[in-house]
Amino acid sequence: MVDCAPVSRPQQALIRLNIIPRDEHCISRKNISDGALKVMSRLRSSGYQAYLVGGAVRDLLLGGHPKDFDIATDATPEAVTDLFRNSRIIGRRFRIVHVRFGREIIEVTTFRGHHDSGDSGGDQSETGGNHSRQSASGLLLRDNVYGTLEEDAVRRDLTVNALYYDSGTFEVYDHVHGLQDLKNRTVCIIGDPEQRYTEDPVRMLRVMRFAAKLDFSIEQQTAAAIPRCAHLLGEIPAARLFDEFLKLFLAGYAASTLEHLLEYDLLRYLFPETSRCIRDDARALALVQAAMGNTDQRIAQGKPVTPAFILAALLWPVVEAQQARLVERGEPAMVAMHTAAQSAIGDAVNHISIPRRFSQPMREIWEFQLRLQRRTGRKAAELIEHRRFRAAYDFLLLREQAGEDTGGLGQWWTEIQDLTADQRLEKVSTSHDNRKRPRRTRTRRPNPAP
Ligand code: ATP
Ligand code: MG
């Protein structure tokens, strides 16, 4: 593990402002969006402080291209919206201002300050006129107490996410040894890890995400507190976990993120049943890993990805096992698939929201796995025209990639796609159906009365 300054250092030692002049860092204004520069410049000329902060500064210092630009200021959200016509306040737990420039949105946050975390009053622990609120267990329900730049720095999650760039003086401000951790390639939580995870357990998922995204090590104490605090993730609302799921698995480094989540046993707070299945079943694990790897590859190639596909893969081990159990009990395969899908999604949404626009395609992808077994008849040829065919076919290939023997089904559907409509019809009339259908004993209908 990479050596890093201990994070549980006393607060006074934690905050030591280090100002890095323009000739000692690599950030150039030309790599910052015009929108972000405009927002900072107008805030400054109106007498406020304004800095680029968070992922943008971190990624620019690492020589990368930030995906968005966040700005921190001492102007209140209302003051910011007064300055920009194209802006609005969003959020409740954490109020921020979105300033829009065409398709680009610049996020402007007002410096966060300290609040009374020592209060033992549980839900009563409100300060600053209902601006900050903690649950009995210490979870921050609202965090809208405003403060100074210095206070804002220590309220952030990771040291490498708490670097500020002043586009007026071109200096970088570092209060929490962020630059040192960036050089050491270390993800390190700011302050006492247990306290910071208790305030917001999602920070544990963010540690996983940034360790994966940046390919950084996790500082020892930052890592050591995770097993002690992991259970707190059970308190996070399902909707927030879904937002976090998108960032974890649809940002181009899902495979590595999965490895981290498995190493720290955090996947079970997002998908408990999946986590159980893949612990016991190497093929189920291989399928989920393959789904993550393929998603990363598609993102790297600029191809579109949908949460439905990755969710379908994550829940497939659960669905497949349940479907097999029902078939064993005598249910017809498609009915069993339907029931298994219903129950897997029903269980999953107790932990993580799955909007209907994703759960519906997931069911279709799963049900298609049975329909793709059919290689004969006009209906088989017509499957290719179905809007869900492509995803279902990719899913079939994924199952094969994970080591499942489907009897060459993937190859068959690959070949048939290159044929003309007539050739397809010929192929399905000569193919033999490889489904093992349960034999039905037909009861003859009595002849209708004359
Ligand atoms: P990305 O490249 O994924 O956008 P980011 O660091 O910009 O990375 P965001 O989720 O956009 O991440 O958050 C912006 C900044 O807000 C972070 O860099 C961090 O300083 C702060 N932040 C975000 N979430 C939290 C949190 N849960 N607790 C404390 N600070 C946070
Ligand atoms: Mg960001």
Side-chain angles (χ1 to χ4, degrees):
M1 191 161 290
V2 182
D3 188 32
C4 155
V7 278
S8 52
R9 51 202 158 203
Q11 204 78 324
Q12 294 87 327
L14 172 76
I15 310 167
R16 205 197 56 216
L17 178 61
N18 183 14
I19 299 177
I20 301 108
R22 78 187 289 183
D23 53 355
E24 286 178 30
H25 64 75
C26 62
I27 297 182
S28 154
R29 281 170 58 108
K30 69 176 189 298
N31 295 324
I32 301 172
S33 82
D34 287 344
L37 290 172
K38 263 187 215 153
V39 170
M40 289 188 281
S41 156
R42 191 173 306 170
L43 281 165
R44 272 200 314 273
S45 60
S46 306
Y48 297 109
Q49 299 177 58
Y51 304 91
L52 193 65
V53 68
V57 182
R58 179 196 67 218
D59 293 347
L60 286 169
L61 287 169
L62 289 170
H65 299 284
K67 69 174 172 56
D68 46 38
F69 293 90
D70 300 329
I71 287 165
T73 179
D74 59 347
T76 61
E78 289 74 16
V80 176
T81 49
D82 282 350
L83 284 178
F84 301 96
R85 255 192 319 116
N86 48 339
S87 67
R88 66 191 183 104
I89 299 176
I90 62 152
R92 183 176 137 86
R93 197 183 74 86
F94 200 86
R95 292 170 81 225
I96 58 180
V97 180
H98 274 177
V99 186
R100 186 179 278 279
F101 293 92
R103 295 180 58 141
E104 186 185 22
I105 290 177
I106 306 294
E107 246 176 49
V108 184
T109 54
T110 305
F111 296 151
R112 256 58 189 176
H114 294 303
H115 39 77
D116 289 342
S117 59
D119 225 326
S120 58
D123 270 350
Q124 309 305 312
S125 66
E126 294 196 1
T127 60
N130 201 26
H131 295 312
S132 149
R133 201 158 172 249
Q134 274 180 292
S135 76
S137 61
L139 182 78
L140 264 183
L141 303 172
R142 212 170 292 158
D143 189 8
N144 289 310
V145 174
Y146 303 131
T148 61
L149 169 64
E150 195 170 84
E151 286 168 343
D152 188 73
V154 292
R155 299 279 326 128
R156 291 187 176 266
D157 55 351
L158 309 176
T159 59
V160 294
N161 285 348
L163 292 156
Y164 298 75
Y165 173 72
D166 184 329
S167 63
T169 63
F170 311 105
E171 290 163 335
V172 170
Y173 288 61
D174 177 9
H175 300 80
V176 290
H177 312 276
L179 214 57
Q180 179 192 324
D181 289 342
L182 210 59
K183 283 186 187 135
N184 289 339
R185 302 182 65 78
T186 305
V187 168
C188 185
I189 196 110
I190 299 168
D192 174 56
E194 220 157 300
Q195 184 193 332
R196 302 306 309 286
Y197 295 150
T198 305
E199 284 171 1
D200 183 3
V202 167
R203 288 175 185 148
M204 287 180 273
L205 297 178
R206 291 178 61 87
V207 167
M208 302 290 109
R209 177 154 81 86
F210 289 110
K213 170 177 167 151
L214 306 171
D215 192 20
F216 277 20
S217 313
I218 303 174
E219 183 274 333
Q220 211 186 337
Q221 296 180 50
T222 301
I226 292 179
R228 296 196 293 273
C229 301
H231 67 278
L232 298 170
L233 280 166
E235 283 191 47
I236 302 300
R240 186 159 180 227
L241 282 188
F242 180 73
D243 289 345
E244 213 51 42
F245 153 80
L246 295 177
K247 295 184 194 171
L248 288 165
F249 294 120
L250 284 136
Y253 36 88
S256 165
T257 302
L258 177 73
E259 296 312 315
H260 282 88
L261 289 172
L262 291 177
E263 185 183 339
Y264 287 86
D265 199 15
L266 297 185
L267 188 69
R268 67 195 179 111
Y269 297 99
L270 298 160
F271 301 97
E273 293 299 320
T274 306
S275 165
R276 212 169 35 77
C277 281
I278 66 180
R279 240 198 322 261
D280 304 338
D281 180 352
R283 190 164 59 77
L285 172 63
L287 179 110
V288 174
Q289 284 172 324
M292 303 299 174
N294 290 5
T295 304
D296 291 347
Q297 225 170 7
R298 287 183 68 91
I299 291 172
Q301 293 164 351
K303 293 184 184 168
V305 289
T306 161
F309 190 85
I310 210 154
L311 283 165
L314 274 162
L315 292 184
W316 176 250
V318 184
V319 173
E320 194 188 23
Q322 171 74 345
Q323 196 252 1
R325 273 194 296 274
L326 293 171
V327 167
E328 222 161 80
R329 278 192 233 150
E331 290 234 24
M334 192 52 100
V335 176
M337 182 63 85
H338 199 80
T339 313
Q342 187 70 22
S343 115
I345 292 176
D347 286 346
V349 296
N350 288 324
H351 305 273
I352 187 163
S353 303
I354 303 182
R356 244 187 86 77
R357 66 180 184 284
F358 301 130
S359 61
Q360 192 49 33
M362 286 160 67
R363 290 172 205 268
E364 289 173 12
I365 289 172
W366 294 333
E367 288 175 9
F368 239 99
Q369 300 311 300
L370 293 183
R371 295 167 77 183
L372 289 175
Q373 290 179 4
R374 185 185 183 129
R375 302 191 210 190
T376 55
R378 185 179 283 271
K379 272 201 170 155
E382 284 169 2
L383 282 186
I384 293 179
E385 314 297 335
H386 195 287
R387 68 192 167 105
R388 207 60 71 199
F389 172 79
R390 188 69 214 189
Y393 161 75
D394 285 344
F395 199 85
L396 171 66
L397 297 186
L398 192 72
R399 287 166 51 206
E400 292 184 344
Q401 195 183 330
E404 186 175 341
D405 180 5
T406 65
L409 212 51
Q411 178 67 22
W412 193 86
W413 283 103
T414 304
E415 284 166 11
I416 202 170
Q417 288 175 70
D418 292 333
L419 304 179
T420 63
D422 285 345
Q423 288 169 327
R424 269 179 211 160
L425 280 177
E426 196 183 325
K427 189 170 165 92
V428 292
S429 61
T430 53
S431 289
H432 63 279
D433 197 335
N434 79 329
R435 275 193 306 174
K436 285 189 196 122
R437 294 192 192 175
R439 290 179 91 193
R440 283 206 212 145
T441 42
R442 287 213 177 155
T443 43
R444 264 180 200 279
R445 277 203 213 145
N447 283 339

